[in-house]
Each structure stands twice: as structure tokens, then as C-alpha cells.
Amino acid sequence: MVRILIKKISKEVITPKYKTEGSSGVDLSAFLNEKVVIKPNSSELIPTGLQVAIPEELEIQIRPRSGLAAKESMGVLNSPGTIDSDYRGELKIILFNHGDKDFIINNGDRIAQMVLVPIRKMEFEEVDNLPDTVRGQGGFGSTGKK
């Protein structure tokens, strides 16, 4: 297990925790002074009241909660959102309403999940040609439907 430093902006902020032994992520909750209404086909930036410090070789990904997606058509707009190891500001979630009715968020509502992920840095080497593959330059849908 990796130790992550976490700072709560207020004592009322809910500290994330794993719900089950097999959970990959922890739920993040809204930290609001008043409810937020997200209109259909609109997004809102929702604060969590949390700040974190993570090791350099890791990132935090912000992902939608499957229940909110399936039942309420709510998602994380930039899914997955990335929290870099050098970011120290408040974690905020860009929620998007894909549905056809208003979605109301109250203080303490679980709105997204946070997953800790390893990062591999890239080193680029410029070349004149890339190795051939069977697929080649075939793009979107090039491998067929079945």
C-alpha cells in the first residue's frame, strides 16, 4: 500500500476510503455550501475540499462512478481526469450531465472515484521509419466489427 498525504480544507470534508477489500478506487464526495444543479448537456466544477501529495512515479485518475453513469447519466467530463504528482490545489471534479433532466448534487454526495495509477515516463527517439505491423496505418474501425 502507498501512503498518500491528504489535507482537508475543513473538518467537515469527508475523507475517502475503500468501500470493499477489492475496490480499485475510493469515492470522492462533494464539498458544497449549497446544492448544485447540473442542467442536461451541461457541466459544473464540483469541489471536494481535499488536497493531496503523491509520489512522482504515480498519478491519481478521476473516474465516473458506475452507478451515477448507469442510473443518472452523469459522468466525469475529462474522464479519466489526471491529478499530477506536483499538483497541490483542491481536487475538483468536472461533472457532465448526459441525461435529459436536471441533476442535483448536495454536500457530501459521492460524485466520482479516485484511483492511484503508476506512471511510466517516455523518452522519444526520432526515426525516419517505424517498424511494420499487420495493421499498418489502419485506423478507426479498420479491424472490423466482429
Side-chain angles (χ1 to χ4, degrees), residues 68-130:
L68 284 182
K71 296 174 185 172
E72 304 291 344
S73 299
M74 293 299 299
V76 174
L77 186 59
N78 61 328
S79 183
T82 295
I83 308 300
D84 296 309
S85 64
D86 58 353
Y87 177 69
R88 294 296 183 267
E90 181 181 7
L91 303 181
K92 295 182 180 182
I93 312 303
I94 309 168
L95 284 184
F96 188 84
N97 184 349
H98 295 276
D100 57 6
K101 54 187 177 198
D102 291 355
F103 183 76
I104 298 170
I105 302 170
N106 294 295
N107 185 51
D109 287 352
R110 292 182 292 153
I111 56 170
Q113 58 181 319
M114 177 170 73
V115 177
L116 189 64
V117 180
I119 294 297
R120 303 248 347 224
K121 297 284 184 173
M122 296 178 270
E123 180 180 329
F124 296 100
E125 177 185 346
E126 287 190 37
V127 296
D128 292 328
N129 296 300
L130 296 174

Side-chain angles (χ1 to χ4, degrees), residues 4-17 26-32 46-54 60 62 83-84 87-93 107-115:
I4 301 299
L5 303 177
I6 191 166
K7 178 182 175 185
K8 294 171 32 168
I9 291 173
S10 166
K11 289 182 176 154
E12 290 80 38
V13 172
I14 298 170
T15 303
K17 59 183 169 208
V26 295
D27 289 336
L28 293 174
S29 299
F31 182 62
L32 303 168
I46 309 299
T48 65
L50 297 170
Q51 294 170 273
V52 295
I54 61 175
I60 285 176
I62 305 299
I83 308 300
D84 296 309
Y87 177 69
R88 294 296 183 267
E90 181 181 7
L91 303 181
K92 295 182 180 182
I93 312 303
N107 185 51
D109 287 352
R110 292 182 292 153
I111 56 170
Q113 58 181 319
M114 177 170 73
V115 177

Side-chain angles (χ1 to χ4, degrees), residues 19-77:
K19 294 291 184 188
T20 68
E21 204 52 40
S23 295
S24 298
V26 295
D27 289 336
L28 293 174
S29 299
F31 182 62
L32 303 168
N33 293 322
E34 56 188 47
K35 73 179 180 182
V36 172
V37 178
I38 305 178
K39 299 282 185 194
N41 295 310
S42 296
S43 64
E44 292 287 340
L45 191 60
I46 309 299
T48 65
L50 297 170
Q51 294 170 273
V52 295
I54 61 175
E56 251 182 63
E57 69 278 1
L58 301 173
E59 76 164 333
I60 285 176
Q61 290 185 355
I62 305 299
R63 301 178 182 177
R65 293 190 64 234
S66 58
L68 284 182
K71 296 174 185 172
E72 304 291 344
S73 299
M74 293 299 299
V76 174
L77 186 59

